[in-house]
Amino acid sequence: MQEDRILRSALKSKVISAEESASFFKDGMVVGASGFTRGGDTKVVLKELAKRAQKEPLKIQLFTGASLGHGTDADLADANALIKRLPFQVDAILRKHINAEDLLFVDQHLGETSELLINGDLPKIDIAVIEATQILEDGSIIPTTSVGNNVAFMDMADKVIIEINTAIPLEIRGFHDIFQQGKAPHKKIIPITASDTRIGTESIPLDPEKIIGIVFHDITDMTGDIVPPDENTAAIASHILDFLGNEVKKGRLTKSLLPLQCGIGKVANAVMSGFLKGDFENLTMYSEVLQDSTFELIDAGKMDFASATSMTVSKGCYDKFMNNLETYRKNVVFRPQNISNAAEVIRRLGVIGINTALEVDLYGNVNSTHVGGTKMMNGIGGSGDFARNAYMSIFVTSSTAKDNKISSVVPMVAHHDHTEHDVDVLVTEKGLADLRGLAPIERVPIIINNCVHEDYKDEFLDYFNRAKAKGGQTPHLLDEVYKWHTRFNETGSMKA
Amino acid sequence: MQEDRILRSALKSKVISAEESASFFKDGMVVGASGFTRGGDTKVVLKELAKRAQKEPLKIQLFTGASLGHGTDADLADANALIKRLPFQVDAILRKHINAEDLLFVDQHLGETSELLINGDLPKIDIAVIEATQILEDGSIIPTTSVGNNVAFMDMADKVIIEINTAIPLEIRGFHDIFQQGKAPHKKIIPITASDTRIGTESIPLDPEKIIGIVFHDITDMTGDIVPPDENTAAIASHILDFLGNEVKKGRLTKSLLPLQCGIGKVANAVMSGFLKGDFENLTMYSEVLQDSTFELIDAGKMDFASATSMTVSKGCYDKFMNNLETYRKNVVFRPQNISNAAEVIRRLGVIGINTALEVDLYGNVNSTHVGGTKMMNGIGGSGDFARNAYMSIFVTSSTAKDNKISSVVPMVAHHDHTEHDVDVLVTEKGLADLRGLAPIERVPIIINNCVHEDYKDEFLDYFNRAKAKGGQTPHLLDEVYKWHTRFNETGSMKA
């Protein structure tokens, strides 16, 4: 134990081993765990729980901020330890179990989970497992590299286990901004008027009586590799940067644009890195997750401030951040995910949202989650929080997948996550379709011309022309709307 | 001219006839007109424009708050006077022209139109035509029975024509609360913390130099007939009232519930009227449109306050309101529709939203707009503003239509307006499905048991069981997902 990690002395007696912590869990319990896209996830307690579940019947409902790292989701799923999992995941093994219907997965807007908990629409949390840097004198805790749903979990839980991560420097204190809106009809205004507005406290309040165990570890967050942009992602990034440059020329935006939100992944990272070269300046982010590109832009003096609930970066970037906390203190804040993803703030600030689609359709509807319309990939994440409320909502995808055997632009998406109402701009490596203010039948030719791969253009036009001849606001031929999908299932290719 | 209707004397010279006002319009112009579900619509100027368009080529883009009354939309459509129409309509003749692709219709979230205008995502307004009660000394105007998008239209327009409606008593002054949020990144907080919070002014600011004409008329809003609840609507209302009563018993809500929002129509009206009998008290509304039931509840002492952007009522209710303005002054406020439908306020107050579906599917997705998936009925209206941000989002529909030949619950909706993420409770006359916190495959048996008509249950179960056997997060058989719809098109019935 490091003495300076627990400032409330009476709690030092609560320190236990990870193995001991697992004994607190009972079959059927609801567990709320920290962790958002591998940032600040619980790293040892749930691993021990999975070990117990390998030996005895022990199943829990597991709620988190978003995805976990270190294979924890895989361990739990393989141990058959999950009854229900929400609100997001990215683990290949957990995904396999979800699609085999071995457990229940609830795919939620990430900004709403804590609301549902507070409203009593989800079961009460029995035990919260929260990674922290430090416990303060008043029992409140300093989080690590994410805030996620920790505030709600700790508030709603009967009991709390704290994982103190000694690999995180104490100097991370002050990077978090903790705010609780309360419960309707007495919810507070979220008084954020810019990405860098601070409205709360640096620690998360906690009744020390709730703490049943404190576990020490020194395991850092899982880091990722930076995937260099390929030809397609570079083209997508270039289309977006040209488009935003033109918006500046037309006087609709300034060179600082508006606060940016970017989904996770190589396309998003490529777009953000593109700002290094462009004419943009004094950029800001009001986003969910910070990636390497955020820190590159800050280092280059292009970005003034970035607000998020978590970070998921490469090893190099992680080390750079931790070794230079004093430098980044003026540039970065981590908020609870119901604040980073708050409809109220996103619409007020006028966020420009850039998110990834699995497939899009000829009217601009987006499938973000379901492969072939039925199998879960990751989850909707925060894309709905941002797309609905953004100043401008941009969705990106490669025009094809699997050696052109799949067109990512289809007559009708096989699962609807975002409707045409919430999609302003579509981008593939082929080009960009600006759909703002357009009626459905105006959108189609632009999407076909600008975004569809040439291998699919003719069949697309044929479909649309035959549908349009039958009239309607949104012409379709319902008996062949998923013909491309069923053809792929039968032949291995969407092509005729 | 009534002298007390124009308090700024210099403007009295601008009074013209309706016929003269039509001469200001040029082919290709963009017109922003007042009017929201027949409340406070422009009643004479656009009618004259339609007459001109019958004789000469004259086509405009027409933006409004929502639907117009008095057949204005029909006149314009029949005169081929519309290039583009947005954001909502309910006119049978206009609908026919939309579905025949005679004009372009953009179906928008009603809370977002003014944002799109302010952001420059829609073309600039050439002429705004606004119904008013009075023009004040400073040139600002007192609206009539709706505020709608008037604030944005008047702000963004080059020129403004005012229709002064002398049938509206001057005493309506004070019923409106006008607030402008401004433009990102400098948008203001909307400081509403309860339905009755007043945050603005009683008149809409207007540069008097913009006024090119003032037209007098004394035509009241079109009123509707109250449709008494039939067996189905009464059953739906009863299910909802029982459900909310249980939420109170469980301690999740108080007897005042939370601010209510209700879509337009007989089901909504029946639900609201149901509160007259129940145990509820001190109810409030934070809604889009006030109907007869609102005033019944206020008269009965059951409702304390109602906030909306418009009213659409029966003749009797309209007269009662106008003859008792002093009585209702403490109970009612009309706000701009970007404030009545603001994501920020809806989520903060914790609104309970009740909206009507055309069809719903086995996972809880909702089609609010497209008959058979392709033909526009009315539009999404404000349902998306409320469903996404509500404390609880309830959708209602009869389980069948057309003598049971159509099941309103289908395997997959043929058009997606609201995804399963935004639908908490589904209600048909058969029963209520509480979907909160449930994974997709948990939702299905509850919807089938509680909401589906008995004529369709067996085929539904068969479909779901075969789909589920193939696995996935959201099981479907894409090659037969719209079989019921195509069967209806071929045979006139969805039944096998």
Side-chain angles (χ1 to χ4, degrees), chain A residues 10-11 19 50 134 197 202 209 213 215 242 254 265 268 307 335 343 377 382 384 421 475 485-486:
Chain A
L11 288 174
E19 198 179 345
Q134 194 179 24
T197 312
E202 59 186 27
E209 295 298 315
V215 179
D242 286 351
T254 69
S307 165
R335 308 181 188 275
M377 175 59 85
H421 306 281
H485 295 85
T486 51

Side-chain angles (χ1 to χ4, degrees), chain A residues 273-344:
Chain A
S273 293
F275 288 118
L276 283 170
K277 285 172 291 187
D279 201 20
F280 305 100
E281 58 190 24
N282 302 114
L283 296 169
T284 58
M285 287 185 85
Y286 194 83
S287 196
E288 208 176 67
V289 183
L290 306 184
Q291 296 180 90
D292 283 55
S293 48
T294 305
F295 296 94
E296 288 166 21
L297 288 165
I298 290 171
D299 293 348
K302 284 281 187 180
M303 178 166 289
D304 291 349
F305 200 84
S307 165
T309 193
S310 177
M311 60 188 281
T312 184
V313 294
S314 69
K315 177 77 168 63
C317 186
Y318 184 90
D319 291 342
K320 180 175 73 177
F321 177 70
M322 291 300 173
N323 292 329
N324 293 280
L325 288 171
E326 288 318 311
T327 308
Y328 291 116
R329 189 178 295 284
K330 65 185 183 303
N331 308 112
V332 173
V333 70
F334 296 111
R335 308 181 188 275
Q337 71 192 70
N338 55 321
I339 304 296
S340 66
N341 290 27
E344 169 173 346

Side-chain angles (χ1 to χ4, degrees), chain A residues 84 99 112 347 370 472 474, chain B residues 84 99 112 347 370 437 472 474:
Chain A
K84 186 174 270 189
N99 290 319
E112 294 190 1
R347 194 168 281 192
H370 282 65
T474 307
Chain B
K84 186 174 271 190
N99 290 319
E112 293 190 3
R347 194 167 281 191
H370 282 65
T474 307

Side-chain angles (χ1 to χ4, degrees), chain B residues 91-265:
Chain B
D91 188 281
I93 290 169
L94 174 57
R95 180 185 302 147
K96 191 190 70 179
H97 285 287
I98 289 169
N99 290 319
E101 302 172 3
D102 296 333
L103 69 145
L104 297 162
F105 176 61
V106 183
D107 179 27
Q108 271 174 351
H109 297 307
L110 297 185
E112 293 190 3
T113 306
S114 71
E115 300 239 345
L116 298 172
L117 266 176
I118 291 166
N119 294 347
D121 293 344
L122 291 173
K124 199 167 178 335
I125 305 281
D126 293 302
I127 300 181
V129 188
I130 307 292
E131 187 181 79
T133 312
Q134 195 179 24
I135 303 176
L136 302 186
E137 291 85 347
D138 61 0
S140 68
I141 73 115
I142 304 290
T144 60
T145 48
S146 73
V147 180
N149 283 320
N150 292 355
V151 181
F153 290 158
M154 289 162 61
D155 187 41
M156 303 295 293
D158 289 331
K159 295 168 182 173
V160 178
I161 299 171
I162 300 291
E163 285 191 13
I164 292 187
N165 186 343
T166 57
I168 306 288
L170 287 170
E171 289 68 31
I172 206 164
R173 182 170 174 174
F175 274 79
H176 312 94
D177 187 49
I178 308 302
F179 178 83
Q180 285 174 286
Q181 231 193 327
K183 189 175 172 179
H186 304 296
K187 281 171 78 175
K188 287 185 224 159
I189 289 169
I190 306 173
I192 294 174
T193 53
S195 293
D196 62 356
T197 312
R198 286 191 158 273
I199 60 172
T201 57
E202 58 187 27
S203 64
I204 306 177
L206 177 63
D207 174 0
E209 295 297 316
K210 285 188 180 182
I211 298 181
I212 54 171
I214 299 170
V215 180
F216 275 76
H217 71 75
D218 61 357
I219 306 166
T220 55
D221 290 342
M222 254 177 84
T223 50
D225 297 322
I226 305 185
V227 183
D230 58 24
E231 210 174 311
N232 276 7
T233 54
I236 290 171
S238 165
H239 296 317
I240 293 177
L241 292 165
D242 286 351
F243 169 75
L244 292 174
N246 274 325
E247 291 292 297
V248 175
K249 278 187 201 140
K250 287 177 191 160
R252 283 206 279 242
L253 290 170
T254 70
K255 283 184 183 177
S256 307
L257 301 177
L258 284 164
L260 299 160
Q261 174 264 334
C262 230
I264 300 173

